[in-house]
Protein backbone atom coordinates (compact mmCIF):
# COMPACT_ATOMS: atom_id res chain seq x y z
CA UNK A 1 0.00 0.00 0.00
CA UNK A 2 1.34 3.45 -0.88
CA UNK A 3 1.56 5.84 2.04
CA UNK A 4 -0.65 8.95 1.73
CA UNK A 5 1.13 12.10 0.68
CA UNK A 6 0.93 14.62 3.51
CA UNK A 7 -0.08 18.27 3.15
CA UNK A 8 1.50 21.09 5.07
CA UNK A 9 -0.55 24.24 4.56
CA UNK A 10 1.57 27.37 4.41
CA UNK A 11 -0.58 30.14 5.89
CA UNK A 12 1.85 33.06 5.51
CA UNK A 13 -0.43 34.90 3.12
CA UNK A 14 -3.25 35.03 5.66
CA UNK A 15 -0.85 37.24 7.62
CA UNK A 16 0.06 39.16 4.45
CA UNK A 17 -3.61 40.13 4.14
CA UNK A 18 -3.83 41.05 7.82
CA UNK A 19 -0.69 43.18 7.60
CA UNK A 20 -2.13 45.08 4.61
CA UNK A 21 -4.66 46.65 7.00
CA UNK A 22 -3.37 46.16 10.55
CA UNK A 23 0.40 46.55 10.29
CA UNK A 24 0.47 49.23 13.01
CA UNK A 25 -2.26 47.81 15.20
CA UNK A 26 0.09 46.39 17.84
CA UNK A 27 -1.03 43.02 19.12
CA UNK A 28 -2.25 40.73 16.40
CA UNK A 29 -4.72 38.56 18.26
CA UNK A 30 -8.43 38.74 18.76
CA UNK A 31 -10.83 41.61 18.21
CA UNK A 32 -11.51 42.72 14.68
CA UNK A 33 -7.93 42.33 13.58
CA UNK A 34 -8.51 40.01 10.65
CA UNK A 35 -7.83 37.55 9.25
CA UNK A 36 -6.34 35.76 12.23
CA UNK A 37 -3.73 33.25 10.98
CA UNK A 38 -4.50 30.98 13.93
CA UNK A 39 -8.14 30.71 12.83
CA UNK A 40 -6.93 29.93 9.30
CA UNK A 41 -4.63 27.23 10.70
CA UNK A 42 -7.41 25.63 12.73
CA UNK A 43 -9.75 25.56 9.70
CA UNK A 44 -6.95 23.98 7.66
CA UNK A 45 -6.50 21.29 10.28
CA UNK A 46 -10.24 20.67 10.44
CA UNK A 47 -10.21 20.12 6.66
CA UNK A 48 -7.40 17.57 6.86
CA UNK A 49 -4.11 19.48 6.77
CA UNK A 50 -1.34 17.35 8.23
CA UNK A 51 0.71 20.30 9.35
CA UNK A 52 0.92 24.09 9.39
CA UNK A 53 3.87 25.88 7.82
CA UNK A 54 4.94 29.45 8.51
CA UNK A 55 7.94 31.58 7.64
CA UNK A 56 9.15 34.22 10.06
CA UNK A 57 10.91 36.57 7.68
CA UNK A 58 13.50 39.09 8.75
CA UNK A 59 11.38 41.98 7.44
CA UNK A 60 8.26 40.57 9.22
CA UNK A 61 6.25 41.19 6.08
CA UNK A 62 3.62 38.61 7.06
CA UNK A 63 4.01 36.40 10.15
CA UNK A 64 4.91 38.06 13.46
CA UNK A 65 6.63 36.35 16.38
CA UNK A 66 3.40 36.46 18.39
CA UNK A 67 1.50 34.67 15.60
CA UNK A 68 3.94 31.81 15.70
CA UNK A 69 3.85 31.51 19.49
CA UNK A 70 0.05 31.37 19.34
CA UNK A 71 0.16 28.75 16.59
CA UNK A 72 2.54 26.66 18.68
CA UNK A 73 0.05 26.79 21.54
CA UNK A 74 -3.12 26.21 19.48
CA UNK A 75 -2.56 23.81 16.59
CA UNK A 76 -2.99 20.08 17.02
CA UNK A 77 -0.97 18.85 14.04
CA UNK A 78 2.70 19.70 13.43
CA UNK A 79 4.28 23.13 13.21
CA UNK A 80 6.88 23.59 10.49
CA UNK A 81 8.86 26.81 10.92
CA UNK A 82 10.68 28.08 7.84
CA UNK A 83 13.63 30.25 8.80
CA UNK A 84 16.97 31.65 7.76
CA UNK A 85 20.23 30.45 9.32
CA UNK A 86 20.60 33.51 11.57
CA UNK A 87 21.52 33.50 15.27
CA UNK A 88 18.24 35.24 16.08
CA UNK A 89 16.17 32.59 14.31
CA UNK A 90 18.09 29.73 15.88
CA UNK A 91 17.40 31.19 19.34
CA UNK A 92 13.75 31.77 18.43
CA UNK A 93 13.35 28.15 17.25
CA UNK A 94 15.09 26.75 20.32
CA UNK A 95 12.68 28.71 22.52
CA UNK A 96 9.59 27.81 20.47
CA UNK A 97 10.36 24.14 19.76
CA UNK A 98 8.48 23.69 16.47
CA UNK A 99 8.16 20.07 15.33
CA UNK A 100 10.12 20.88 12.18
CA UNK A 101 12.37 23.65 10.99
CA UNK A 102 12.90 24.14 7.28
CA UNK A 103 16.03 26.16 6.60
CA UNK A 104 15.46 28.57 3.72
CA UNK A 105 17.61 31.29 2.17
CA UNK A 106 16.90 34.90 2.96
CA UNK A 107 19.97 36.94 2.12
CA UNK A 108 21.38 37.02 -1.40
CA UNK A 109 24.54 35.08 -0.43
CA UNK A 110 22.53 32.09 0.82
CA UNK A 111 20.60 31.60 -2.42
CA UNK A 112 21.53 29.20 -5.22
CA UNK A 113 20.89 29.96 -8.87
CA UNK A 114 17.30 28.75 -8.75
CA UNK A 115 16.46 30.00 -5.28
CA UNK A 116 17.01 27.15 -2.82
CA UNK A 117 19.38 27.25 0.14
CA UNK A 118 23.02 27.00 -0.96
CA UNK A 119 23.84 24.10 1.38
CA UNK A 120 27.02 23.22 -0.53
CA UNK A 121 28.29 26.84 -0.55
CA UNK A 122 27.44 27.57 3.10
CA UNK A 123 28.10 24.09 4.42
CA UNK A 124 29.85 24.82 7.79
CA UNK A 125 27.10 27.23 8.92
CA UNK A 126 24.32 24.91 7.78
CA UNK A 127 25.88 22.00 9.71
CA UNK A 128 26.18 24.20 12.83
CA UNK A 129 22.51 25.22 12.67
CA UNK A 130 21.30 21.68 11.88
CA UNK A 131 23.20 20.37 14.90
CA UNK A 132 21.90 23.03 17.30
CA UNK A 133 18.30 22.32 16.26
CA UNK A 134 18.50 18.51 16.12
CA UNK A 135 20.20 18.44 19.53
CA UNK A 136 17.08 20.18 20.84
CA UNK A 137 14.82 17.49 19.34
CA UNK A 138 13.67 19.56 16.33
CA UNK A 139 13.62 17.80 12.96
CA UNK A 140 15.42 19.78 10.29
CA UNK A 141 14.65 20.05 6.61
CA UNK A 142 16.72 21.92 4.00
CA UNK A 143 14.91 23.74 1.17
CA UNK A 144 17.10 22.95 -1.84
CA UNK A 145 16.97 23.13 -5.60
CA UNK A 146 16.76 19.72 -7.27
CA UNK A 147 20.51 19.74 -7.92
CA UNK A 148 22.64 16.72 -7.16
CA UNK A 149 25.36 18.85 -5.55
CA UNK A 150 22.89 20.36 -3.10
CA UNK A 151 21.30 16.99 -2.29
CA UNK A 152 24.70 15.45 -1.60
CA UNK A 153 25.58 18.35 0.69
CA UNK A 154 22.20 18.03 2.44
CA UNK A 155 22.82 14.32 3.00
CA UNK A 156 26.19 15.13 4.61
CA UNK A 157 24.80 17.94 6.77
CA UNK A 158 23.07 15.85 9.42
CA UNK A 159 19.58 17.06 8.40
CA UNK A 160 17.00 14.30 8.13
CA UNK A 161 14.87 15.90 5.43
CA UNK A 162 15.03 17.95 2.26
CA UNK A 163 12.28 20.01 0.71
CA UNK A 164 12.77 20.07 -3.04
CA UNK A 165 12.16 23.52 -4.51
CA UNK A 166 9.43 23.06 -7.11
CA UNK A 167 9.41 26.70 -8.25
CA UNK A 168 11.33 26.07 -11.48
CA UNK A 169 8.88 23.29 -12.38
CA UNK A 170 5.92 25.54 -11.58
CA UNK A 171 7.39 28.32 -13.74
CA UNK A 172 8.05 25.90 -16.60
CA UNK A 173 4.64 24.28 -16.38
CA UNK A 174 3.16 26.25 -19.29
CA UNK A 175 6.21 25.88 -21.50
CA UNK A 176 8.51 23.40 -23.16
CA UNK A 177 10.66 22.93 -20.03
CA UNK A 178 8.06 21.13 -17.94
CA UNK A 179 9.31 17.59 -18.57
CA UNK A 180 12.95 18.59 -18.00
CA UNK A 181 12.06 20.13 -14.67
CA UNK A 182 10.09 17.05 -13.66
CA UNK A 183 13.06 14.89 -14.59
CA UNK A 184 15.31 17.02 -12.37
CA UNK A 185 12.86 16.63 -9.50
CA UNK A 186 12.64 12.86 -9.99
CA UNK A 187 16.42 12.44 -10.07
CA UNK A 188 16.87 14.64 -7.04
CA UNK A 189 14.17 12.72 -5.14
CA UNK A 190 15.80 9.39 -6.03
CA UNK A 191 19.19 10.59 -4.85
CA UNK A 192 17.80 12.11 -1.66
CA UNK A 193 15.79 9.02 -0.73
CA UNK A 194 18.75 6.79 -1.60
CA UNK A 195 20.86 8.88 0.80
CA UNK A 196 18.38 8.27 3.60
CA UNK A 197 16.69 11.67 3.50
CA UNK A 198 12.94 12.13 3.82
CA UNK A 199 11.78 13.98 0.71
CA UNK A 200 9.32 16.86 0.85
CA UNK A 201 8.57 19.40 -1.88
CA UNK A 202 7.09 22.84 -2.19
CA UNK A 203 6.79 26.27 -3.75
CA UNK A 204 4.47 27.23 -6.59
CA UNK A 205 2.41 24.02 -6.44
CA UNK A 206 -1.18 24.66 -7.53
CA UNK A 207 -4.37 22.82 -8.48
CA UNK A 208 -3.10 22.36 -12.06
CA UNK A 209 0.56 21.45 -11.74
CA UNK A 210 -0.01 19.07 -8.80
CA UNK A 211 -0.61 16.23 -11.28
CA UNK A 212 3.02 16.36 -12.44
CA UNK A 213 4.30 16.52 -8.87
CA UNK A 214 2.61 13.17 -8.21
CA UNK A 215 5.00 11.55 -10.71
CA UNK A 216 7.98 12.44 -8.48
CA UNK A 217 8.92 9.38 -6.41
CA UNK A 218 9.49 9.14 -2.63
CA UNK A 219 7.49 12.26 -1.72
CA UNK A 220 6.46 12.41 1.92
CA UNK A 221 4.87 15.87 2.27
CA UNK A 222 4.02 18.88 0.11
CA UNK A 223 4.02 22.40 1.48
CA UNK A 224 1.47 24.51 -0.35
CA UNK A 225 0.38 28.05 0.44
CA UNK A 226 -0.50 30.59 -2.20
CA UNK A 227 -2.80 28.47 -4.34
CA UNK A 228 -4.78 27.19 -1.35
CA UNK A 229 -5.22 30.68 0.11
CA UNK A 230 -6.20 32.01 -3.34
CA UNK A 231 -8.80 29.29 -3.82
CA UNK A 232 -10.17 29.85 -0.32
CA UNK A 233 -10.73 33.49 -1.25
CA UNK A 234 -12.67 32.54 -4.35
CA UNK A 235 -14.72 29.74 -2.85
CA UNK A 236 -15.49 31.84 0.24
CA UNK A 237 -16.37 35.07 -1.57
CA UNK A 238 -20.04 34.24 -2.16
CA UNK A 239 -20.72 33.52 1.51
CA UNK A 240 -18.85 36.64 2.61
CA UNK A 241 -20.84 38.95 0.34
CA UNK A 242 -24.17 37.30 1.19
CA UNK A 243 -23.50 37.66 4.94
CA UNK A 244 -22.63 41.34 4.60
CA UNK A 245 -25.71 41.99 2.48
CA UNK A 246 -27.85 40.28 5.13
CA UNK A 247 -26.38 42.48 7.87
CA UNK A 248 -27.08 45.58 5.79
CA UNK A 249 -30.83 45.00 5.89
CA UNK A 250 -32.40 48.03 7.55
CA UNK A 251 -35.21 47.59 10.04
CA UNK A 252 -38.44 49.14 8.80
CA UNK A 253 -39.04 52.52 10.47
CA UNK A 254 -42.06 52.27 12.80
N1 LIG B 1 8.05 25.78 0.77
C1 LIG B 1 8.87 26.79 1.10
C2 LIG B 1 10.23 26.47 1.61
C3 LIG B 1 8.45 28.12 1.00
O1 LIG B 1 9.27 29.11 1.36
C4 LIG B 1 7.13 28.38 0.56
C5 LIG B 1 6.63 29.78 0.51
O2 LIG B 1 7.24 30.49 -0.45
C6 LIG B 1 6.32 27.30 0.21
C7 LIG B 1 6.80 26.00 0.32
C8 LIG B 1 4.92 27.50 -0.28
O3 LIG B 1 4.95 28.10 -1.54
P1 LIG B 1 3.60 28.55 -2.23
O4 LIG B 1 3.04 29.67 -1.41
O5 LIG B 1 4.05 29.00 -3.58
O6 LIG B 1 2.69 27.38 -2.27
Amino acid sequence: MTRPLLLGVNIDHAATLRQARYRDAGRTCGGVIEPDPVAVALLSEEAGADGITVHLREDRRHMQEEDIRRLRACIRTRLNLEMACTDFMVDFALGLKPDYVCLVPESREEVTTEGGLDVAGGFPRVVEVVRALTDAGIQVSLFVDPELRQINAAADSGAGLVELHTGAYANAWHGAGREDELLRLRRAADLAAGSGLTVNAGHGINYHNIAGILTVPHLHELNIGHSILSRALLTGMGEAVRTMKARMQRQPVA
Side-chain angles (χ1 to χ4, degrees), residues 167-205:
Y169 160 71
N171 289 337
W173 193 76
H174 284 289
R178 186 199 302 190
E179 279 310 309
D180 286 348
E181 291 300 337
L182 273 178
L183 196 61
R184 287 178 72 212
L185 286 167
R186 288 186 200 123
R187 285 196 183 130
D190 272 334
L191 179 64
S195 309
L197 292 161
T198 296
V199 187
N200 296 338
H203 199 91
I205 299 175

Side-chain angles (χ1 to χ4, degrees), residues 141-165:
S141 173
L142 305 178
F143 181 55
V144 291
D145 294 327
E147 286 174 6
L148 306 190
R149 177 169 167 263
Q150 296 298 339
I151 306 289
N152 284 328
D156 292 341
S157 72
L161 306 91
V162 279
E163 180 172 324
L164 298 179
H165 192 327

